[in-house]
PDB file of all heavy atoms in Angstrom:
ATOM      1  N   GLU A   1      31.608 -62.912  16.999  1.00  0.00           N
ATOM      2  CA  GLU A   1      32.384 -63.076  18.341  1.00  0.00           C
ATOM      3  C   GLU A   1      31.639 -62.234  19.407  1.00  0.00           C
ATOM      4  O   GLU A   1      31.427 -62.736  20.441  1.00  0.00           O
ATOM      5  CB  GLU A   1      33.767 -62.599  18.224  1.00  0.00           C
ATOM      6  CG  GLU A   1      34.701 -63.043  19.341  1.00  0.00           C
ATOM      7  CD  GLU A   1      36.097 -62.785  19.102  1.00  0.00           C
ATOM      8  OE1 GLU A   1      36.493 -62.379  17.967  1.00  0.00           O
ATOM      9  OE2 GLU A   1      36.842 -62.927  20.061  1.00  0.00           O
ATOM     10  N   LEU A   2      31.190 -61.059  19.031  1.00  0.00           N
ATOM     11  CA  LEU A   2      30.478 -60.151  20.026  1.00  0.00           C
ATOM     12  C   LEU A   2      29.202 -60.730  20.447  1.00  0.00           C
ATOM     13  O   LEU A   2      28.736 -60.755  21.569  1.00  0.00           O
ATOM     14  CB  LEU A   2      30.193 -58.818  19.491  1.00  0.00           C
ATOM     15  CG  LEU A   2      31.397 -57.785  19.533  1.00  0.00           C
ATOM     16  CD1 LEU A   2      31.259 -56.546  18.565  1.00  0.00           C
ATOM     17  CD2 LEU A   2      31.767 -57.295  20.850  1.00  0.00           C
ATOM     18  N   ILE A   3      28.441 -61.314  19.450  1.00  0.00           N
ATOM     19  CA  ILE A   3      27.109 -61.969  19.757  1.00  0.00           C
ATOM     20  C   ILE A   3      27.398 -63.127  20.647  1.00  0.00           C
ATOM     21  O   ILE A   3      26.462 -63.348  21.599  1.00  0.00           O
ATOM     22  CB  ILE A   3      26.486 -62.447  18.436  1.00  0.00           C
ATOM     23  CG1 ILE A   3      26.036 -61.283  17.592  1.00  0.00           C
ATOM     24  CG2 ILE A   3      25.190 -63.273  18.710  1.00  0.00           C
ATOM     25  CD1 ILE A   3      25.141 -60.297  18.237  1.00  0.00           C
ATOM     26  N   GLN A   4      28.372 -63.928  20.437  1.00  0.00           N
ATOM     27  CA  GLN A   4      28.629 -65.039  21.257  1.00  0.00           C
ATOM     28  C   GLN A   4      28.965 -64.557  22.650  1.00  0.00           C
ATOM     29  O   GLN A   4      28.687 -65.213  23.716  1.00  0.00           O
ATOM     30  CB  GLN A   4      29.717 -65.948  20.663  1.00  0.00           C
ATOM     31  CG  GLN A   4      29.242 -66.688  19.452  1.00  0.00           C
ATOM     32  CD  GLN A   4      30.474 -67.574  18.824  1.00  0.00           C
ATOM     33  OE1 GLN A   4      31.480 -67.618  19.464  1.00  0.00           O
ATOM     34  NE2 GLN A   4      30.185 -68.133  17.635  1.00  0.00           N
ATOM     35  N   PHE A   5      29.898 -63.513  22.795  1.00  0.00           N
ATOM     36  CA  PHE A   5      30.249 -62.964  24.000  1.00  0.00           C
ATOM     37  C   PHE A   5      28.927 -62.498  24.780  1.00  0.00           C
ATOM     38  O   PHE A   5      28.999 -62.557  26.012  1.00  0.00           O
ATOM     39  CB  PHE A   5      31.158 -61.809  23.716  1.00  0.00           C
ATOM     40  CG  PHE A   5      31.782 -61.216  24.964  1.00  0.00           C
ATOM     41  CD1 PHE A   5      32.770 -61.776  25.671  1.00  0.00           C
ATOM     42  CD2 PHE A   5      31.300 -59.985  25.487  1.00  0.00           C
ATOM     43  CE1 PHE A   5      33.351 -61.173  26.776  1.00  0.00           C
ATOM     44  CE2 PHE A   5      31.725 -59.438  26.633  1.00  0.00           C
ATOM     45  CZ  PHE A   5      32.808 -59.915  27.213  1.00  0.00           C
ATOM     46  N   ALA A   6      28.069 -61.821  24.083  1.00  0.00           N
ATOM     47  CA  ALA A   6      26.843 -61.254  24.730  1.00  0.00           C
ATOM     48  C   ALA A   6      25.790 -62.510  25.199  1.00  0.00           C
ATOM     49  O   ALA A   6      24.976 -62.137  26.059  1.00  0.00           O
ATOM     50  CB  ALA A   6      26.205 -60.281  23.880  1.00  0.00           C
ATOM     51  N   ARG A   7      26.018 -63.548  24.632  1.00  0.00           N
ATOM     52  CA  ARG A   7      25.165 -64.681  24.886  1.00  0.00           C
ATOM     53  C   ARG A   7      23.716 -64.405  24.516  1.00  0.00           C
ATOM     54  O   ARG A   7      22.853 -64.715  25.133  1.00  0.00           O
ATOM     55  CB  ARG A   7      25.281 -65.114  26.405  1.00  0.00           C
ATOM     56  CG  ARG A   7      26.678 -65.567  26.728  1.00  0.00           C
ATOM     57  CD  ARG A   7      26.753 -66.431  27.989  1.00  0.00           C
ATOM     58  NE  ARG A   7      26.192 -65.711  29.195  1.00  0.00           N
ATOM     59  CZ  ARG A   7      26.583 -65.947  30.504  1.00  0.00           C
ATOM     60  NH1 ARG A   7      27.275 -67.081  30.733  1.00  0.00           N
ATOM     61  NH2 ARG A   7      26.127 -65.202  31.483  1.00  0.00           N
ATOM     62  N   VAL A   8      23.561 -63.695  23.334  1.00  0.00           N
ATOM     63  CA  VAL A   8      22.188 -63.544  22.793  1.00  0.00           C
ATOM     64  C   VAL A   8      21.932 -64.693  21.909  1.00  0.00           C
ATOM     65  O   VAL A   8      22.654 -65.111  20.877  1.00  0.00           O
ATOM     66  CB  VAL A   8      22.182 -62.184  21.916  1.00  0.00           C
ATOM     67  CG1 VAL A   8      20.817 -62.045  21.265  1.00  0.00           C
ATOM     68  CG2 VAL A   8      22.445 -61.071  22.776  1.00  0.00           C
ATOM     69  N   VAL A   9      20.793 -65.366  22.173  1.00  0.00           N
ATOM     70  CA  VAL A   9      20.491 -66.626  21.557  1.00  0.00           C
ATOM     71  C   VAL A   9      19.065 -66.654  21.201  1.00  0.00           C
ATOM     72  O   VAL A   9      18.214 -65.798  21.580  1.00  0.00           O
ATOM     73  CB  VAL A   9      20.814 -67.932  22.207  1.00  0.00           C
ATOM     74  CG1 VAL A   9      22.245 -68.060  22.529  1.00  0.00           C
ATOM     75  CG2 VAL A   9      19.967 -67.928  23.689  1.00  0.00           C
ATOM     76  N   ALA A  10      18.451 -67.500  20.335  1.00  0.00           N
ATOM     77  CA  ALA A  10      17.044 -67.640  20.001  1.00  0.00           C
ATOM     78  C   ALA A  10      16.335 -67.826  21.327  1.00  0.00           C
ATOM     79  O   ALA A  10      16.508 -68.441  22.172  1.00  0.00           O
ATOM     80  CB  ALA A  10      16.877 -68.972  19.157  1.00  0.00           C
ATOM     81  N   GLY A  11      15.239 -66.917  21.287  1.00  0.00           N
ATOM     82  CA  GLY A  11      14.283 -66.908  22.479  1.00  0.00           C
ATOM     83  C   GLY A  11      14.768 -65.863  23.465  1.00  0.00           C
ATOM     84  O   GLY A  11      13.964 -65.722  24.549  1.00  0.00           O
ATOM     85  N   SER A  12      15.882 -65.153  23.430  1.00  0.00           N
ATOM     86  CA  SER A  12      16.384 -64.238  24.517  1.00  0.00           C
ATOM     87  C   SER A  12      15.465 -62.976  24.462  1.00  0.00           C
ATOM     88  O   SER A  12      14.860 -62.665  23.407  1.00  0.00           O
ATOM     89  CB  SER A  12      17.767 -63.781  24.203  1.00  0.00           C
ATOM     90  OG  SER A  12      18.739 -64.906  24.237  1.00  0.00           O
ATOM     91  N   THR A  13      15.446 -62.323  25.638  1.00  0.00           N
ATOM     92  CA  THR A  13      14.844 -61.047  25.623  1.00  0.00           C
ATOM     93  C   THR A  13      16.072 -60.140  25.831  1.00  0.00           C
ATOM     94  O   THR A  13      16.840 -60.280  26.932  1.00  0.00           O
ATOM     95  CB  THR A  13      13.839 -60.822  26.863  1.00  0.00           C
ATOM     96  OG1 THR A  13      12.768 -61.749  26.547  1.00  0.00           O
ATOM     97  CG2 THR A  13      13.411 -59.450  26.965  1.00  0.00           C
ATOM     98  N   VAL A  14      16.192 -59.044  24.972  1.00  0.00           N
ATOM     99  CA  VAL A  14      17.338 -58.195  25.031  1.00  0.00           C
ATOM    100  C   VAL A  14      16.864 -56.781  25.029  1.00  0.00           C
ATOM    101  O   VAL A  14      15.876 -56.395  24.488  1.00  0.00           O
ATOM    102  CB  VAL A  14      18.189 -58.426  23.778  1.00  0.00           C
ATOM    103  CG1 VAL A  14      19.347 -57.519  23.709  1.00  0.00           C
ATOM    104  CG2 VAL A  14      18.592 -59.860  23.503  1.00  0.00           C
ATOM    105  N   ILE A  15      17.608 -55.994  25.953  1.00  0.00           N
ATOM    106  CA  ILE A  15      17.297 -54.588  25.905  1.00  0.00           C
ATOM    107  C   ILE A  15      18.583 -53.853  25.387  1.00  0.00           C
ATOM    108  O   ILE A  15      19.665 -53.983  25.735  1.00  0.00           O
ATOM    109  CB  ILE A  15      17.160 -54.043  27.419  1.00  0.00           C
ATOM    110  CG1 ILE A  15      16.017 -54.834  28.016  1.00  0.00           C
ATOM    111  CG2 ILE A  15      16.889 -52.499  27.435  1.00  0.00           C
ATOM    112  CD1 ILE A  15      15.816 -54.455  29.501  1.00  0.00           C
ATOM    113  N   ASP A  16      18.322 -53.151  24.130  1.00  0.00           N
ATOM    114  CA  ASP A  16      19.403 -52.493  23.437  1.00  0.00           C
ATOM    115  C   ASP A  16      19.337 -51.056  23.871  1.00  0.00           C
ATOM    116  O   ASP A  16      18.349 -50.335  23.439  1.00  0.00           O
ATOM    117  CB  ASP A  16      19.222 -52.679  21.958  1.00  0.00           C
ATOM    118  CG  ASP A  16      20.299 -51.966  21.036  1.00  0.00           C
ATOM    119  OD1 ASP A  16      21.254 -51.553  21.758  1.00  0.00           O
ATOM    120  OD2 ASP A  16      20.011 -51.854  19.872  1.00  0.00           O
ATOM    121  N   VAL A  17      20.154 -50.545  24.720  1.00  0.00           N
ATOM    122  CA  VAL A  17      20.029 -49.240  25.270  1.00  0.00           C
ATOM    123  C   VAL A  17      20.634 -48.292  24.295  1.00  0.00           C
ATOM    124  O   VAL A  17      21.891 -48.412  23.966  1.00  0.00           O
ATOM    125  CB  VAL A  17      20.701 -49.132  26.644  1.00  0.00           C
ATOM    126  CG1 VAL A  17      20.723 -47.708  27.158  1.00  0.00           C
ATOM    127  CG2 VAL A  17      19.950 -50.057  27.670  1.00  0.00           C
ATOM    128  N   TYR A  18      20.070 -47.115  24.009  1.00  0.00           N
ATOM    129  CA  TYR A  18      20.448 -46.078  23.167  1.00  0.00           C
ATOM    130  C   TYR A  18      20.988 -46.614  21.761  1.00  0.00           C
ATOM    131  O   TYR A  18      22.072 -46.698  21.453  1.00  0.00           O
ATOM    132  CB  TYR A  18      21.587 -45.273  23.730  1.00  0.00           C
ATOM    133  CG  TYR A  18      21.864 -43.859  23.023  1.00  0.00           C
ATOM    134  CD1 TYR A  18      20.787 -43.340  22.069  1.00  0.00           C
ATOM    135  CD2 TYR A  18      22.837 -43.011  23.335  1.00  0.00           C
ATOM    136  CE1 TYR A  18      21.052 -42.179  21.523  1.00  0.00           C
ATOM    137  CE2 TYR A  18      23.098 -41.660  22.788  1.00  0.00           C
ATOM    138  CZ  TYR A  18      22.091 -41.336  21.849  1.00  0.00           C
ATOM    139  OH  TYR A  18      22.290 -40.073  21.240  1.00  0.00           O
ATOM    140  N   PRO A  19      19.972 -47.066  21.070  1.00  0.00           N
ATOM    141  CA  PRO A  19      20.249 -48.021  19.830  1.00  0.00           C
ATOM    142  C   PRO A  19      20.810 -47.326  18.628  1.00  0.00           C
ATOM    143  O   PRO A  19      21.157 -47.927  17.704  1.00  0.00           O
ATOM    144  CB  PRO A  19      18.897 -48.554  19.580  1.00  0.00           C
ATOM    145  CG  PRO A  19      17.889 -47.647  20.058  1.00  0.00           C
ATOM    146  CD  PRO A  19      18.479 -47.075  21.296  1.00  0.00           C
ATOM    147  N   GLY A  20      20.940 -45.962  18.748  1.00  0.00           N
ATOM    148  CA  GLY A  20      21.473 -45.214  17.519  1.00  0.00           C
ATOM    149  C   GLY A  20      20.771 -45.400  16.241  1.00  0.00           C
ATOM    150  O   GLY A  20      19.525 -45.150  16.189  1.00  0.00           O
ATOM    151  N   ASP A  21      21.394 -46.024  15.240  1.00  0.00           N
ATOM    152  CA  ASP A  21      20.791 -46.248  13.993  1.00  0.00           C
ATOM    153  C   ASP A  21      19.943 -47.562  13.875  1.00  0.00           C
ATOM    154  O   ASP A  21      19.324 -47.926  12.991  1.00  0.00           O
ATOM    155  CB  ASP A  21      21.796 -46.280  12.880  1.00  0.00           C
ATOM    156  CG  ASP A  21      22.391 -44.978  12.566  1.00  0.00           C
ATOM    157  OD1 ASP A  21      21.845 -43.942  12.843  1.00  0.00           O
ATOM    158  OD2 ASP A  21      23.565 -44.983  12.124  1.00  0.00           O
ATOM    159  N   GLY A  22      20.067 -48.290  15.024  1.00  0.00           N
ATOM    160  CA  GLY A  22      19.283 -49.575  15.066  1.00  0.00           C
ATOM    161  C   GLY A  22      19.886 -50.703  14.545  1.00  0.00           C
ATOM    162  O   GLY A  22      19.203 -51.860  14.461  1.00  0.00           O
ATOM    163  N   ASP A  23      21.127 -50.731  14.269  1.00  0.00           N
ATOM    164  CA  ASP A  23      21.900 -51.881  13.647  1.00  0.00           C
ATOM    165  C   ASP A  23      21.929 -53.119  14.549  1.00  0.00           C
ATOM    166  O   ASP A  23      21.664 -54.220  14.247  1.00  0.00           O
ATOM    167  CB  ASP A  23      23.269 -51.432  13.330  1.00  0.00           C
ATOM    168  CG  ASP A  23      23.414 -50.449  12.128  1.00  0.00           C
ATOM    169  OD1 ASP A  23      22.404 -50.358  11.422  1.00  0.00           O
ATOM    170  OD2 ASP A  23      24.431 -49.836  11.999  1.00  0.00           O
ATOM    171  N   TRP A  24      22.149 -52.790  15.879  1.00  0.00           N
ATOM    172  CA  TRP A  24      22.113 -53.916  16.883  1.00  0.00           C
ATOM    173  C   TRP A  24      20.792 -54.337  17.144  1.00  0.00           C
ATOM    174  O   TRP A  24      20.545 -55.667  17.305  1.00  0.00           O
ATOM    175  CB  TRP A  24      22.820 -53.440  18.175  1.00  0.00           C
ATOM    176  CG  TRP A  24      24.247 -53.254  18.069  1.00  0.00           C
ATOM    177  CD1 TRP A  24      25.043 -52.011  18.070  1.00  0.00           C
ATOM    178  CD2 TRP A  24      25.282 -54.258  17.871  1.00  0.00           C
ATOM    179  NE1 TRP A  24      26.310 -52.220  17.924  1.00  0.00           N
ATOM    180  CE2 TRP A  24      26.559 -53.617  17.848  1.00  0.00           C
ATOM    181  CE3 TRP A  24      25.255 -55.616  17.796  1.00  0.00           C
ATOM    182  CZ2 TRP A  24      27.740 -54.338  17.650  1.00  0.00           C
ATOM    183  CZ3 TRP A  24      26.396 -56.406  17.649  1.00  0.00           C
ATOM    184  CH2 TRP A  24      27.652 -55.726  17.511  1.00  0.00           C
ATOM    185  N   THR A  25      19.833 -53.493  17.222  1.00  0.00           N
ATOM    186  CA  THR A  25      18.437 -53.993  17.365  1.00  0.00           C
ATOM    187  C   THR A  25      17.922 -54.890  16.259  1.00  0.00           C
ATOM    188  O   THR A  25      17.368 -55.969  16.569  1.00  0.00           O
ATOM    189  CB  THR A  25      17.536 -52.776  17.475  1.00  0.00           C
ATOM    190  OG1 THR A  25      17.680 -51.979  18.548  1.00  0.00           O
ATOM    191  CG2 THR A  25      16.071 -53.228  17.347  1.00  0.00           C
ATOM    192  N   ARG A  26      18.291 -54.618  15.049  1.00  0.00           N
ATOM    193  CA  ARG A  26      17.981 -55.474  13.881  1.00  0.00           C
ATOM    194  C   ARG A  26      18.721 -56.734  13.919  1.00  0.00           C
ATOM    195  O   ARG A  26      18.105 -57.822  13.840  1.00  0.00           O
ATOM    196  CB  ARG A  26      18.386 -54.770  12.561  1.00  0.00           C
ATOM    197  CG  ARG A  26      17.444 -53.657  12.165  1.00  0.00           C
ATOM    198  CD  ARG A  26      17.877 -53.044  10.724  1.00  0.00           C
ATOM    199  NE  ARG A  26      16.981 -51.989  10.374  1.00  0.00           N
ATOM    200  CZ  ARG A  26      17.131 -50.688  10.576  1.00  0.00           C
ATOM    201  NH1 ARG A  26      18.282 -50.408  11.172  1.00  0.00           N
ATOM    202  NH2 ARG A  26      16.303 -49.875  10.092  1.00  0.00           N
ATOM    203  N   LEU A  27      20.080 -56.781  14.369  1.00  0.00           N
ATOM    204  CA  LEU A  27      20.809 -57.918  14.528  1.00  0.00           C
ATOM    205  C   LEU A  27      20.141 -58.896  15.556  1.00  0.00           C
ATOM    206  O   LEU A  27      20.070 -60.029  15.392  1.00  0.00           O
ATOM    207  CB  LEU A  27      22.158 -57.689  14.831  1.00  0.00           C
ATOM    208  CG  LEU A  27      23.210 -58.761  14.746  1.00  0.00           C
ATOM    209  CD1 LEU A  27      23.220 -59.487  13.515  1.00  0.00           C
ATOM    210  CD2 LEU A  27      24.613 -58.174  15.102  1.00  0.00           C
ATOM    211  N   PHE A  28      19.883 -58.258  16.833  1.00  0.00           N
ATOM    212  CA  PHE A  28      19.356 -59.059  17.873  1.00  0.00           C
ATOM    213  C   PHE A  28      17.909 -59.590  17.490  1.00  0.00           C
ATOM    214  O   PHE A  28      17.633 -60.727  17.827  1.00  0.00           O
ATOM    215  CB  PHE A  28      19.206 -58.141  19.153  1.00  0.00           C
ATOM    216  CG  PHE A  28      20.545 -57.817  19.704  1.00  0.00           C
ATOM    217  CD1 PHE A  28      20.658 -56.596  20.383  1.00  0.00           C
ATOM    218  CD2 PHE A  28      21.707 -58.546  19.649  1.00  0.00           C
ATOM    219  CE1 PHE A  28      21.861 -56.121  20.871  1.00  0.00           C
ATOM    220  CE2 PHE A  28      22.875 -58.158  20.143  1.00  0.00           C
ATOM    221  CZ  PHE A  28      22.986 -56.925  20.753  1.00  0.00           C
ATOM    222  N   SER A  29      17.186 -58.770  16.706  1.00  0.00           N
ATOM    223  CA  SER A  29      15.820 -59.185  16.331  1.00  0.00           C
ATOM    224  C   SER A  29      16.012 -60.539  15.542  1.00  0.00           C
ATOM    225  O   SER A  29      15.249 -61.451  15.634  1.00  0.00           O
ATOM    226  CB  SER A  29      15.119 -58.153  15.489  1.00  0.00           C
ATOM    227  OG  SER A  29      13.971 -58.542  14.928  1.00  0.00           O
ATOM    228  N   ASP A  30      16.855 -60.624  14.541  1.00  0.00           N
ATOM    229  CA  ASP A  30      17.178 -61.709  13.707  1.00  0.00           C
ATOM    230  C   ASP A  30      17.526 -62.908  14.704  1.00  0.00           C
ATOM    231  O   ASP A  30      17.018 -64.052  14.251  1.00  0.00           O
ATOM    232  CB  ASP A  30      18.157 -61.341  12.716  1.00  0.00           C
ATOM    233  CG  ASP A  30      17.793 -60.404  11.603  1.00  0.00           C
ATOM    234  OD1 ASP A  30      16.510 -60.191  11.442  1.00  0.00           O
ATOM    235  OD2 ASP A  30      18.675 -59.732  10.933  1.00  0.00           O
ATOM    236  N   ILE A  31      18.341 -62.756  15.638  1.00  0.00           N
ATOM    237  CA  ILE A  31      18.849 -63.731  16.308  1.00  0.00           C
ATOM    238  C   ILE A  31      17.830 -64.416  17.302  1.00  0.00           C
ATOM    239  O   ILE A  31      17.605 -65.677  17.389  1.00  0.00           O
ATOM    240  CB  ILE A  31      20.143 -63.420  17.126  1.00  0.00           C
ATOM    241  CG1 ILE A  31      21.247 -63.066  16.111  1.00  0.00           C
ATOM    242  CG2 ILE A  31      20.630 -64.463  18.076  1.00  0.00           C
ATOM    243  CD1 ILE A  31      22.487 -62.357  16.836  1.00  0.00           C
ATOM    244  N   VAL A  32      17.085 -63.560  18.014  1.00  0.00           N
ATOM    245  CA  VAL A  32      16.222 -63.994  19.118  1.00  0.00           C
ATOM    246  C   VAL A  32      15.002 -64.743  18.442  1.00  0.00           C
ATOM    247  O   VAL A  32      14.283 -65.499  19.014  1.00  0.00           O
ATOM    248  CB  VAL A  32      15.717 -62.829  20.120  1.00  0.00           C
ATOM    249  CG1 VAL A  32      16.991 -62.390  20.676  1.00  0.00           C
ATOM    250  CG2 VAL A  32      14.915 -61.877  19.454  1.00  0.00           C
ATOM    251  N   GLY A  33      14.640 -64.278  17.193  1.00  0.00           N
ATOM    252  CA  GLY A  33      13.508 -64.912  16.463  1.00  0.00           C
ATOM    253  C   GLY A  33      12.214 -64.610  17.096  1.00  0.00           C
ATOM    254  O   GLY A  33      12.061 -63.751  18.084  1.00  0.00           O
ATOM    255  N   PRO A  34      11.183 -65.255  16.551  1.00  0.00           N
ATOM    256  CA  PRO A  34       9.777 -65.082  16.989  1.00  0.00           C
ATOM    257  C   PRO A  34       9.548 -65.395  18.571  1.00  0.00           C
ATOM    258  O   PRO A  34       8.611 -64.931  19.091  1.00  0.00           O
ATOM    259  CB  PRO A  34       8.911 -65.924  16.142  1.00  0.00           C
ATOM    260  CG  PRO A  34       9.924 -66.906  15.662  1.00  0.00           C
ATOM    261  CD  PRO A  34      11.280 -66.317  15.647  1.00  0.00           C
ATOM    262  N   GLY A  35      10.369 -66.176  19.116  1.00  0.00           N
ATOM    263  CA  GLY A  35      10.184 -66.457  20.498  1.00  0.00           C
ATOM    264  C   GLY A  35      10.903 -65.553  21.402  1.00  0.00           C
ATOM    265  O   GLY A  35      10.807 -65.792  22.616  1.00  0.00           O
ATOM    266  N   GLY A  36      11.589 -64.608  20.918  1.00  0.00           N
ATOM    267  CA  GLY A  36      12.399 -63.664  21.743  1.00  0.00           C
ATOM    268  C   GLY A  36      11.780 -62.221  21.623  1.00  0.00           C
ATOM    269  O   GLY A  36      10.738 -62.093  20.986  1.00  0.00           O
ATOM    270  N   ARG A  37      12.410 -61.317  22.273  1.00  0.00           N
ATOM    271  CA  ARG A  37      12.011 -59.986  22.293  1.00  0.00           C
ATOM    272  C   ARG A  37      13.130 -59.040  22.359  1.00  0.00           C
ATOM    273  O   ARG A  37      14.130 -59.263  23.072  1.00  0.00           O
ATOM    274  CB  ARG A  37      11.166 -59.726  23.594  1.00  0.00           C
ATOM    275  CG  ARG A  37      10.300 -58.460  23.611  1.00  0.00           C
ATOM    276  CD  ARG A  37       9.145 -58.538  22.664  1.00  0.00           C
ATOM    277  NE  ARG A  37       8.216 -57.282  22.795  1.00  0.00           N
ATOM    278  CZ  ARG A  37       7.458 -57.064  21.665  1.00  0.00           C
ATOM    279  NH1 ARG A  37       7.230 -57.914  20.651  1.00  0.00           N
ATOM    280  NH2 ARG A  37       6.574 -56.105  21.782  1.00  0.00           N
ATOM    281  N   VAL A  38      13.078 -57.939  21.602  1.00  0.00           N
ATOM    282  CA  VAL A  38      14.098 -56.852  21.655  1.00  0.00           C
ATOM    283  C   VAL A  38      13.460 -55.462  22.065  1.00  0.00           C
ATOM    284  O   VAL A  38      12.593 -55.047  21.310  1.00  0.00           O
ATOM    285  CB  VAL A  38      14.862 -56.782  20.391  1.00  0.00           C
ATOM    286  CG1 VAL A  38      15.951 -55.684  20.508  1.00  0.00           C
ATOM    287  CG2 VAL A  38      15.505 -58.042  19.882  1.00  0.00           C
ATOM    288  N   TYR A  39      13.934 -54.937  23.116  1.00  0.00           N
ATOM    289  CA  TYR A  39      13.429 -53.603  23.461  1.00  0.00           C
ATOM    290  C   TYR A  39      14.506 -52.664  22.900  1.00  0.00           C
ATOM    291  O   TYR A  39      15.653 -52.687  23.459  1.00  0.00           O
ATOM    292  CB  TYR A  39      13.298 -53.435  25.021  1.00  0.00           C
ATOM    293  CG  TYR A  39      12.068 -54.214  25.514  1.00  0.00           C
ATOM    294  CD1 TYR A  39      12.220 -55.497  25.983  1.00  0.00           C
ATOM    295  CD2 TYR A  39      10.782 -53.731  25.492  1.00  0.00           C
ATOM    296  CE1 TYR A  39      11.059 -56.226  26.476  1.00  0.00           C
ATOM    297  CE2 TYR A  39       9.697 -54.422  25.962  1.00  0.00           C
ATOM    298  CZ  TYR A  39       9.888 -55.672  26.424  1.00  0.00           C
ATOM    299  OH  TYR A  39       8.746 -56.322  26.979  1.00  0.00           O
ATOM    300  N   SER A  40      14.074 -51.806  22.081  1.00  0.00           N
ATOM    301  CA  SER A  40      15.076 -50.786  21.540  1.00  0.00           C
ATOM    302  C   SER A  40      14.772 -49.452  22.429  1.00  0.00           C
ATOM    303  O   SER A  40      13.774 -48.707  22.315  1.00  0.00           O
ATOM    304  CB  SER A  40      14.712 -50.474  20.038  1.00  0.00           C
ATOM    305  OG  SER A  40      15.743 -49.643  19.494  1.00  0.00           O
ATOM    306  N   PHE A  41      15.551 -49.347  23.417  1.00  0.00           N
ATOM    307  CA  PHE A  41      15.323 -48.359  24.480  1.00  0.00           C
ATOM    308  C   PHE A  41      16.121 -47.071  24.209  1.00  0.00           C
ATOM    309  O   PHE A  41      17.352 -46.954  24.244  1.00  0.00           O
ATOM    310  CB  PHE A  41      15.713 -48.911  25.856  1.00  0.00           C
ATOM    311  CG  PHE A  41      15.652 -47.988  27.019  1.00  0.00           C
ATOM    312  CD1 PHE A  41      14.316 -47.734  27.531  1.00  0.00           C
ATOM    313  CD2 PHE A  41      16.693 -47.241  27.556  1.00  0.00           C
ATOM    314  CE1 PHE A  41      14.080 -46.861  28.565  1.00  0.00           C
ATOM    315  CE2 PHE A  41      16.454 -46.227  28.557  1.00  0.00           C
ATOM    316  CZ  PHE A  41      15.175 -46.114  29.008  1.00  0.00           C
ATOM    317  N   VAL A  42      15.238 -46.051  23.957  1.00  0.00           N
ATOM    318  CA  VAL A  42      15.843 -44.738  23.729  1.00  0.00           C
ATOM    319  C   VAL A  42      15.664 -43.804  25.056  1.00  0.00           C
ATOM    320  O   VAL A  42      14.511 -43.559  25.414  1.00  0.00           O
ATOM    321  CB  VAL A  42      15.004 -44.026  22.555  1.00  0.00           C
ATOM    322  CG1 VAL A  42      15.634 -42.637  22.445  1.00  0.00           C
ATOM    323  CG2 VAL A  42      15.203 -44.871  21.333  1.00  0.00           C
ATOM    324  N   PRO A  43      16.781 -43.506  25.650  1.00  0.00           N
ATOM    325  CA  PRO A  43      16.586 -42.721  26.880  1.00  0.00           C
ATOM    326  C   PRO A  43      15.910 -41.397  26.679  1.00  0.00           C
ATOM    327  O   PRO A  43      16.122 -40.719  25.567  1.00  0.00           O
ATOM    328  CB  PRO A  43      18.116 -42.321  27.327  1.00  0.00           C
ATOM    329  CG  PRO A  43      18.850 -43.564  26.699  1.00  0.00           C
ATOM    330  CD  PRO A  43      18.159 -43.837  25.360  1.00  0.00           C
ATOM    331  N   ALA A  44      14.961 -40.926  27.489  1.00  0.00           N
ATOM    332  CA  ALA A  44      14.231 -39.733  27.438  1.00  0.00           C
ATOM    333  C   ALA A  44      15.169 -38.588  27.217  1.00  0.00           C
ATOM    334  O   ALA A  44      14.873 -37.521  26.706  1.00  0.00           O
ATOM    335  CB  ALA A  44      13.215 -39.506  28.467  1.00  0.00           C
ATOM    336  N   GLU A  45      16.482 -38.718  27.896  1.00  0.00           N
ATOM    337  CA  GLU A  45      17.440 -37.678  27.849  1.00  0.00           C
ATOM    338  C   GLU A  45      17.880 -37.130  26.450  1.00  0.00           C
ATOM    339  O   GLU A  45      18.292 -36.052  26.277  1.00  0.00           O
ATOM    340  CB  GLU A  45      18.696 -38.085  28.644  1.00  0.00           C
ATOM    341  CG  GLU A  45      18.469 -38.157  30.128  1.00  0.00           C
ATOM    342  CD  GLU A  45      17.864 -39.425  30.680  1.00  0.00           C
ATOM    343  OE1 GLU A  45      17.308 -40.256  29.784  1.00  0.00           O
ATOM    344  OE2 GLU A  45      17.822 -39.682  31.844  1.00  0.00           O
TER     345      GLU A  45
END
């Protein structure tokens, strides 16, 4: 439901801000596929 709410689909470019353990980054990576991109953004702070 959250993925649908976020409208992340195959081919999307997603920025995951402060990804923690990376669970969302991995999930988005699986969804966007080879045609998409996921930036796992760790704030310098």
Side-chain angles (χ1 to χ4, degrees):
E1 194 173 351
L2 279 168
I3 293 300
Q4 292 178 6
F5 182 79
R7 298 198 298 199
V8 176
V9 297
S12 294
T13 295
V14 182
I15 303 174
D16 182 13
V17 176
Y18 199 8
D21 291 332
D23 292 342
W24 289 107
T25 292
R26 287 187 178 91
L27 185 58
F28 294 147
S29 171
D30 292 340
I31 294 169
V32 304
R37 192 75 175 162
V38 180
Y39 290 95
S40 194
F41 179 77
V42 178
E45 288 85 347

